[in-house]
Amino acid sequence: MTTAIPFNKPYVNDAGRRYVTEALSSPNHSGDGPFTRRCHALLQSLLGVPRVLLTTSCTHALEMTALLLRLQPGDEVIVPSFTFTSTANAFALRGARIVFADIRPDTLNLDERQVERLITNRTKAIIVVHYAGVGCEMDVLLEVAKRHGVAVIEDNAHGLFGKYRGRYLGTFGDLAAQSFHETKNFSCGEGGALVINEPKLIEDAEVIREKGTNRSRFFRGEIDKYSWIGLGSSYLPSDILAALLLSQLEARDEIQLRRQQIWQVYYAGLRQWAEQQGVGLPFTPTYCDQAYHMFYLLLPSLEDRQALISHLRSHGILAVFHYLPLHLSEFGRQWGGKEGDCPVTEDVSARLLRLPFFYSLADSEQARIVDSICSFVTKDVRTRRASMA
Ligand SMILES: *Cc1c(COP(=O)(O)O)cnc(C)c1O
């Protein structure tokens, strides 16, 4: 009996256990304690950005960007249809109209060639998602955004420490959102960060994150009492979670190196099979350093994808798919989306399959996954073989 291989397993190291124990014995467990401050300082210096603020999730960091942009009902934001609901939800919560854009068939990133025709005089922001941690075409997107005076927000949930033309993802937009959910490269269970690249937004961000108060300035001794000065909510994670996160950020080289190895073993092991079976593998442009967040296959059809999921399940391997096109979702259809609006998204969504991908995936387990996949024959090849027999 072989043991089952899950899709994901959270990573914990000894430093993580030590830091959490230390945080637990501190007299304060709330946000912005010593571990949170160390995470902020580390991320700011690594990324070379003016301010990073830990949040309770990437979803909440995205909600903060919608508040910081002071979005009003009727304002428009451009969002790829091929993404997680939070990328659109954060702006819909402010009453914004979501304008869905299609993706490129190679990187599965927002198709920069289609963004300009979606811009109107109500457009306030373009939201980009660096899918699988491979950078979007930021040169083009930033130029279009600048010409039309709209903000760029990066949903960088997949892409921490990935680079586009030598520059870190998450440092291009006015604001960027990171995720530290357990399925991401670095995690504290549930968590995220807002990366602030536009210094004018720092003070507002601190107020929004602290329930609409200027408590952050008070703690820095800049004012002698704090009060309610604007809209806000509670977006600070506990310092206990920051302790767990710090241990992972400090182990980033080891984590990323292992993920790179896993990615390369999949690529090398599946390349020939993929070519024979007409299956697509991930594509990374030469000028992008990917973040090794994910390994996916693009099967020839929905039928093949479902058959491979069952085939792998019978070998005790859990592979999953995502994202259902947001423009065709029950809630997303309110903005007038219909079939055929985003043809690449609709096509890819039916054919994509994600393979187990986590730090502690053993070499023997990965070999089993590769072998199981290579014993799978797609419908076309099966039909062709039958007609030749
Ligand atoms: C995971 C993910 C999110 C949400 O992250 P949370 O930290 O769980 O809120 C948002 N966008 C994308 C693209 C994601 O993959």
Side-chain angles (χ1 to χ4, degrees):
M1 198 24 215
T2 47
T3 51
I5 303 176
F7 173 69
N8 182 59
K9 250 190 233 175
Y11 167 91
V12 188
N13 60 22
D14 289 343
R17 292 188 184 88
R18 219 168 48 239
Y19 288 178
V20 169
T21 306
E22 201 181 311
L24 284 172
S25 53
S26 143
N28 302 105
H29 290 178
S30 57
D32 282 345
F35 285 107
T36 307
R37 289 197 295 272
R38 283 166 73 183
C39 288
H40 288 170
L42 184 60
L43 285 168
Q44 280 161 200
S45 80
L46 288 170
L47 300 176
V49 297
R51 196 79 174 100
V52 174
L53 294 169
L54 291 195
T55 57
T56 31
S57 65
C58 177
T59 302
H60 281 166
L62 288 165
E63 287 177 21
M64 286 184 70
T65 72
L67 286 160
L68 283 164
L69 293 179
R70 301 188 182 281
L71 286 187
Q72 302 296 319
D75 285 345
E76 296 176 7
V77 295
I78 297 171
V79 177
S81 177
F82 190 66
T83 183
F84 192 61
T85 53
S86 296
T87 320
N89 224 347
F91 304 94
L93 271 171
R94 309 304 310 155
R97 179 183 166 76
I98 309 298
V99 177
F100 289 110
D102 207 0
I103 52 170
R104 297 176 57 101
D106 53 2
T107 55
L108 315 188
N109 278 330
L110 180 64
D111 191 339
E112 71 287 351
R113 297 160 299 193
Q114 299 192 31
V115 165
E116 190 152 20
R117 67 176 176 82
L118 299 175
I119 295 179
T120 72
N121 55 12
R122 299 294 316 253
T123 307
K124 289 294 183 305
I126 301 167
I127 322 300
V128 306
V129 178
H130 304 296
Y131 185 72
V134 175
C136 294
E137 291 300 332
M138 293 314 296
D139 284 351
V140 176
L141 288 161
L142 290 175
E143 190 275 322
V144 170
K146 192 171 173 193
R147 193 145 37 76
H148 291 274
V150 306
V152 172
I153 308 288
E154 296 172 80
D155 176 342
N156 195 30
H158 301 177
L160 186 57
F161 305 133
K163 288 179 177 175
Y164 169 81
R165 297 192 192 278
R167 186 169 147 193
Y168 280 119
L169 302 179
T171 68
F172 289 90
D174 302 87
L175 298 157
Q178 300 295 155
S179 177
F180 302 119
H181 182 263
E182 74 169 359
T183 53
K184 304 304 192 315
N185 295 25
F186 309 94
S187 112
C188 57
E190 300 275 358
L194 178 70
V195 179
I196 306 167
N197 298 314
E198 172 48 65
K200 286 199 292 255
L201 296 173
I202 295 175
E203 210 170 303
D204 274 4
E206 289 176 348
V207 171
I208 288 169
R209 183 167 163 273
E210 275 280 23
K211 301 95 182 165
T213 71
N214 47 7
R215 197 159 173 253
S216 298
R217 291 193 65 195
F218 172 74
F219 279 126
R220 284 198 297 264
E222 294 167 14
I223 45 177
D224 56 15
K225 61 177 176 6
Y226 71 86
S227 59
W228 187 18
I229 61 165
L231 275 183
S233 189
S234 184
Y235 292 123
L236 295 75
S238 159
D239 211 45
I240 302 167
L241 289 180
L244 184 55
L245 179 63
L246 181 68
S247 69
Q248 306 214 355
L249 293 175
E250 287 178 346
R252 64 194 173 277
D253 291 341
E254 190 192 327
I255 292 173
Q256 289 301 77
L257 183 63
R258 179 63 192 141
R259 296 187 74 102
Q260 179 180 6
Q261 286 166 349
I262 292 171
W263 198 96
Q264 285 168 346
V265 167
Y266 272 139
Y267 197 82
L270 295 172
R271 210 174 159 164
Q272 204 185 352
W273 167 83
E275 201 171 308
Q276 286 163 355
Q277 305 291 328
V279 171
L281 296 182
F283 169 73
T284 312
T286 52
Y287 46 84
C288 288
D289 297 321
Q290 64 148 316
Y292 300 102
H293 173 57
M294 177 188 322
F295 197 94
Y296 62 83
L297 305 174
L298 280 169
L299 278 298
S301 67
L302 172 66
E303 192 183 337
D304 283 317
R305 197 233 350 237
Q306 299 310 97
L308 180 53
I309 290 174
S310 304
H311 173 83
L312 290 174
R313 200 183 299 129
S314 72
H315 287 76
I317 296 161
L318 187 66
V320 301
F321 64 84
H322 74 175
Y323 297 113
L324 296 173
L326 291 180
H327 70 288
L328 298 179
S329 64
E330 188 182 328
F331 194 73
R333 274 184 194 263
Q334 68 182 286
W335 295 288
K338 54 188 186 319
E339 251 139 271
D341 283 356
C342 299
V344 182
T345 298
E346 291 164 34
D347 173 50
V348 161
S349 166
R351 300 193 289 114
L352 186 134
L353 186 64
R354 302 171 64 190
L355 303 182
F357 199 134
F358 50 92
Y359 179 89
S360 59
L361 183 67
D363 292 345
S364 60
E365 290 177 315
Q366 201 182 3
R368 224 178 92 202
I369 298 168
V370 170
D371 285 349
S372 301
I373 294 171
C374 290
S375 69
F376 179 82
V377 183
T378 57
K379 193 177 172 204
D380 264 7
V381 173
R382 217 162 47 235
T383 315
R384 226 181 309 142
R385 281 183 193 165
S387 71
M388 284 186 328

